[in-house]
Amino acid sequence: TPLHGGDVPASSDGHPLLLVPPGASRTYFYPGLHPAAPLWYHDHAVHDTGRNVYMGLAGNYFISDKVEDALHLPGGPHDISSAFDIPLTIQDRFFLSDGSIVYPRHDALRPL
């Protein structure tokens, strides 16, 4: 699971061939040693990255620091749930007329 823009050790960078089988787990270490930033992470399984991200296996990862806290921005320090800080992810999807989601492939549009 790569953390895009994150300063992470190579062992936590989400190599596409480090697959986690069903029922197993893997722990990633994100030390957060860089300045404040809105980052994002996603699944990185070989041959399935695009489909997995399309289906929602991605998320936001917010880092704050003392420099950002000193700005006294609305909402207070480390408070991403305030009315002033609203995480927003914009994604594009294809839907069939029955509302089912479709992952576009070069060969056909088939329901998932």
Side-chain angles (χ1 to χ4, degrees), residues 15-63:
H15 191 280
L17 296 178
L18 291 177
L19 303 177
V20 180
S25 66
R26 178 172 172 80
T27 300
Y28 292 89
F29 178 63
Y30 300 156
L33 300 176
H34 40 70
L39 307 175
W40 78 292
Y41 62 92
H42 66 85
D43 171 75
H44 220 267
V46 66
H47 305 302
D48 289 319
T49 301
R51 182 180 188 279
N52 289 345
V53 170
Y54 190 85
M55 296 304 292
L57 292 175
N60 296 311
Y61 187 89
F62 296 95
I63 305 264

Side-chain angles (χ1 to χ4, degrees), residues 87-109:
L88 180 64
T89 302
I90 299 172
Q91 298 178 325
D92 198 8
R93 300 287 187 272
F94 288 96
F95 295 91
L96 296 177
S97 59
D98 65 0
S100 60
I101 191 170
V102 174
Y103 180 63
R105 299 184 178 135
H106 68 282
D107 56 345
L109 290 179

Side-chain angles (χ1 to χ4, degrees), residues 71-88:
L71 297 174
H72 302 292
L73 297 172
H78 307 291
D79 183 9
I80 65 165
S81 62
S82 75
F84 297 100
D85 295 325
I86 301 172
L88 180 64

